[in-house]
Amino acid sequence: MNLHFNEGARWGTMPLDPSLDSVHEVFHFMHCLLKGLTFLHDHRIAHGDIKTSNILVNHLDRDFFDRSNRFRRLLRSQSKLTYAFCDFDNSTMFSPSISLNECRLPSYVSFNTLPDQVPADTAQGEFDFNPFAFDVGMLGVLFCHEFQYLTLIAPMLAPLLDRMTTRYIEGRFKASEALQFFEEEVLTNTAEHVMSSSLPPKTATGAFDTFDRWAGLDPNFVDKWSAFREPPVPLHLKCLRYVCEYPWIFDAVSFVRRVARLIRVRILLYSCLV
């Protein structure tokens, strides 16, 4: 499905170039994307391929000059840049009446993007998945790759990112919930002097599901938001993900899961009839 949203502006690529200079600029980038994803999901559109190269900015330049464009940096510092999603080739539109929790697609659809850009929703032999939860996970992974090193100066990013990427999909934020949490908790609980502060040098943090975003934070803060903290991936799940990298094992596990769901459904129907 090809979907096009055009507001009449001239859009450019490489939205994070030149590099962002302050926490305020980081939060503005995140805010735009959370609002954009909420808009899509409210209209029952699952993007399906969220990554930096599929984000545009309302400042057109040749890619070669984007990395050092001083005018774009000036516009960003004045909050005059807007960011938007593009590339809807992998998108799916559902009926407006369907609940976000009920939407499912075959697991192979989730393989249409690169493995390091997605949550592990279909890495354990699942035969289907929720594309809207997957979208939130993908955006969370993008935020982790780019900004999880900032939790020491902006601690509220830790609960936001953990809840956007949690492997417990039923407890993962919906797009609207992530937007609400960002506006009501992240923005309001981040001091103005932090918002205007320069970003520290970006450091390598590793994968989104191995980096401890809570390390070094105030113990009282960690205790307050402990319900949002994602526990480490257990060893048995790591092993399952590893063996499911072999297609025949993935297919076998997927078959077992499908049969198990069918049995559960039949038991439920039988119990309702008895």
Side-chain angles (χ1 to χ4, degrees):
M1 170 181 291
N2 292 319
L3 301 172
H4 303 278
F5 296 88
N6 187 352
E7 298 179 359
R10 302 181 69 190
W11 296 87
T13 57
M14 305 175 71
L16 295 178
D17 289 326
S19 59
L20 279 61
D21 293 326
S22 68
V23 174
H24 171 76
E25 293 179 4
V26 169
F27 281 8
H28 179 65
F29 175 80
M30 297 176 69
H31 200 188
C32 285
L33 297 186
L34 286 170
K35 288 191 290 186
L37 191 63
T38 298
F39 173 85
L40 290 176
H41 289 189
D42 284 348
H43 290 79
R44 296 303 184 267
I45 300 169
H47 187 281
D49 192 16
I50 295 175
K51 53 190 176 184
T52 308
S53 59
N54 284 342
I55 298 170
L56 298 178
V57 58
N58 62 333
H59 174 256
L60 184 63
D61 194 4
R62 290 188 295 173
D63 290 351
F64 180 81
F65 295 106
D66 284 342
R67 295 188 183 276
S68 58
N69 190 293
R70 289 178 294 176
F71 186 56
R72 177 177 289 189
R73 173 165 274 139
L74 175 63
L75 292 173
R76 181 184 285 132
S77 68
Q78 298 172 343
S79 300
K80 292 182 179 179
L81 293 187
T82 298
Y83 306 92
F85 293 109
C86 66
D87 191 357
F88 292 85
D89 289 349
N90 291 324
S91 299
T92 306
M93 179 179 285
F94 292 84
S95 168
S97 61
I98 193 171
S99 167
L100 294 176
N101 295 325
E102 298 174 354
C103 298
R104 292 291 185 275
L105 289 175
S107 58
Y108 67 81
V109 176
S110 69
F111 305 148
N112 290 333
T113 189
L114 299 177
D116 62 346
Q117 298 168 336
V118 299
D121 296 7
T122 56
Q124 299 83 206
E126 289 83 358
F127 61 89
D128 65 1
F129 72 106
N130 184 318
F132 294 103
F134 195 70
D135 267 1
V136 175
M138 276 193 289
L139 186 58
V141 171
L142 186 156
F143 287 164
C144 287
H145 285 173
E146 299 294 340
F147 309 126
Q148 65 183 0
Y149 77 102
L150 296 174
T151 53
L152 285 178
I153 63 173
M156 287 306 302
L157 286 177
L160 172 68
L161 298 180
D162 272 28
R163 190 54 66 90
M164 289 183 70
T165 58
T166 177
R167 62 182 180 273
Y168 303 104
I169 300 175
E170 296 79 6
R172 186 179 296 169
F173 276 150
K174 292 180 173 61
S176 59
E177 294 170 341
L179 174 62
Q180 181 179 6
F181 186 87
F182 183 84
E183 292 178 339
E184 296 182 358
E185 301 292 348
V186 179
L187 290 179
T188 58
N189 289 304
T190 302
E192 186 59 36
H193 73 275
V194 174
M195 295 285 283
S196 59
S197 63
S198 299
L199 298 183
K202 188 173 183 178
T203 56
T205 57
F208 77 95
D209 56 355
T210 59
F211 178 68
D212 186 0
R213 289 176 280 274
W214 302 77
L217 299 184
D218 181 87
N220 293 327
F221 175 88
V222 175
D223 183 65
K224 177 181 178 180
W225 295 99
S226 59
F228 287 72
R229 189 173 187 177
E230 179 75 357
V233 181
L235 180 60
H236 75 274
L237 200 56
K238 292 180 180 179
C239 293
L240 180 58
R241 291 176 181 179
Y242 175 76
V243 298
C244 282
E245 292 179 3
Y246 296 91
W248 68 273
I249 296 181
F250 182 96
D251 292 341
V253 175
S254 179
F255 176 78
V256 172
R257 290 183 182 276
R258 190 184 298 271
V259 172
R261 181 183 291 183
L262 180 61
I263 291 174
R264 287 197 300 270
V265 170
R266 293 201 172 198
I267 291 174
L268 180 62
L269 289 175
Y270 178 77
S271 64
C272 291
L273 295 174
V274 174

